[in-house]
Amino acid sequence: IFSRQIKTWDHEDIKAANPNLSVPANTNIKVAHRKEGSSSTAGTTQYLKKACSGSWNLETGSSIDWPADTFEVQGSGGMADYIRENTYAIGYLDAGHGQEEGFGEIALENKAGKSLTTRQANIGDAATVALQTAGAIPDDPAADWSAVNLYDMTGDNTWPITLFSYIYVQQDLRKMDSMTASLLKAFLEYVASDRGQTLMGTYGFVPVPAAVKTKNEATMTSIQFPVGTIDMTFEVDTMMGDGMKLDAISAKRRSFADVQQETLLAEFETAKVAAEARPTVTTTTTTTVVTDNDDNEGDDHDDDHDDDDDDD
């Protein structure tokens, strides 16, 4: 389909794999691909080359030459927009993004012959298998990882197109500012921690399995931090006094501007409630209008009048 050897949804090969699929005859498959280089393109094409070597006749990599009758899109957002707006379109997108959009997902057959979607598969299994497979992942964290991938790993529940997200860190950080190094160290440790890993699902990622966490911990010990690097603490539950210390990273800590704004808003609401609670007082005002009944409209009148004047 992606190489455009199959161009319509009612092709006999598609019908054979999807006997309940009902589409109008000769309905074109609108193939969308990323315009610029992307890891999604690299993952998809490299998997297709590995799993379908007999039929994949295009290149592999983050950016390739696609057939002229395909549609190019810009970024993940552009891919999502195209699929959403075009009936009978097909494209590739990271699982978290696609699930968030509510797109229909194609089940892929893994190496064990099981057809699964990403919701049905155990994504982390691919990494666990890779660690158990000689040469799949370097033993030395400082080695070349450019060829590392988790495509088409063995196992009943693996997903065929699985990618790692990496953090590259300079191994010798002894010349870095010690506070900057302390913050970097805290970030790396938090991401790999149980608490940090629980956040992965929020952003459409999957926590790494225990074996990968263990490897990460070993990698951390190989980093050389400068003298003066300290261990930061994370305030989750209130730590009276300690939460304000320099070595504490706190979700509870706020800037003075935030506190001042909150105080002003509270004072405003208090004043508003007090004003609304006051009784309403209705006053009547009587206005006395002085008129001139003299026939001589143009005459001027003194401020002092005799008692028998007509002007009252």
Side-chain angles (χ1 to χ4, degrees):
I1 291 173
F2 279 100
S3 64
R4 297 298 284 163
Q5 297 173 62
I6 293 178
K7 295 189 175 185
T8 63
W9 281 113
D10 62 344
H11 188 279
E12 58 183 11
D13 289 355
I14 295 179
K15 281 189 170 183
N18 303 271
N20 296 322
L21 182 65
S22 178
V23 295
N26 297 314
T27 299
N28 182 47
I29 303 175
K30 301 174 182 177
V31 175
H33 63 84
R34 294 281 290 272
K35 179 180 179 180
E36 306 293 344
S38 77
S39 58
S40 297
T41 301
T44 301
T45 57
Q46 289 170 11
Y47 160 74
L48 291 173
K49 181 66 175 179
K50 181 177 182 180
C52 315
S53 58
S55 57
W56 181 252
N57 55 10
L58 301 181
E59 303 165 336
T60 63
S62 60
S63 179
I64 70 169
D65 292 327
W66 293 88
D69 57 351
T70 58
F71 301 87
E72 61 181 23
V73 298
Q74 184 67 47
S76 295
M79 180 67 77
D81 290 343
Y82 186 86
I83 294 173
R84 188 190 312 107
E85 296 166 4
N86 290 273
T87 307
Y88 303 118
I90 188 172
Y92 50 87
L93 194 63
D94 64 273
H97 197 162
Q99 290 170 8
E100 184 179 359
E101 293 284 349
F103 292 152
E105 188 177 345
I106 294 175
L108 292 184
E109 183 178 297
N110 63 20
K111 203 164 188 176
K114 301 290 183 65
S115 293
L116 303 170
T117 66
T118 58
R119 291 184 182 276
Q120 297 166 331
N122 186 324
I123 306 301
D125 278 3
T128 301
V129 172
L131 283 175
Q132 298 168 350
T133 303
I137 295 180
D139 293 327
D140 181 3
D144 181 7
W145 283 56
S146 61
V148 174
N149 68 67
L150 306 179
Y151 309 142
D152 211 25
M153 289 291 169
T154 59
D156 287 345
N157 297 311
T158 58
W159 174 250
I161 311 178
T162 301
L163 288 77
F164 264 136
S165 290
Y166 299 97
I167 299 176
Y168 287 101
V169 182
Q170 187 172 328
Q171 197 167 28
D172 187 351
L173 299 176
R174 287 176 295 178
K175 294 183 179 180
M176 179 180 282
D177 171 75
S178 60
M179 181 50 71
T180 301
S182 299
L183 291 169
L184 173 60
K185 182 172 180 287
F187 170 72
L188 296 173
E189 291 174 344
Y190 187 83
V191 169
S193 71
D194 291 339
R195 191 182 300 277
Q197 287 293 302
T198 59
L199 296 175
M200 295 296 101
T202 305
Y203 302 99
F205 291 88
V206 177
V208 297
V212 176
K213 285 186 62 179
T214 300
K215 188 172 184 64
N216 284 339
E217 291 167 0
T219 299
M220 283 286 293
T221 62
S222 71
I223 300 175
Q224 296 176 287
F225 290 100
V227 175
T229 300
I230 60 176
D231 291 327
M232 307 293 287
T233 58
F234 292 87
E235 183 184 34
V236 179
D237 299 318
T238 302
M239 301 188 310
M240 296 298 293
D242 290 341
M244 295 298 294
K245 291 182 178 179
L246 186 62
D247 63 350
I249 298 176
S250 175
K252 298 176 178 291
R253 187 179 296 176
R254 296 174 297 165
S255 68
F256 176 75
D258 291 334
V259 175
Q260 187 177 46
Q261 182 183 46
E262 188 176 282
T263 301
L264 290 173
L265 287 173
E267 291 176 351
F268 172 78
E269 289 299 326
T270 301
K272 181 181 177 182
V273 171
E276 292 174 346
R278 291 175 183 169
T280 302
V281 179
T282 303
T283 58
T284 302
T285 302
T286 301
T287 302
T288 302
V289 179
V290 178
T291 61
D292 186 355
N293 293 328
D294 196 321
D295 291 338
N296 300 319
E297 296 179 0
D299 292 346
D300 294 331
H301 299 280
D302 295 329
D303 290 335
D304 297 325
H305 303 285
D306 293 336
D307 291 341
D308 56 354
D309 284 347
D310 293 332
D311 302 309
D312 294 325

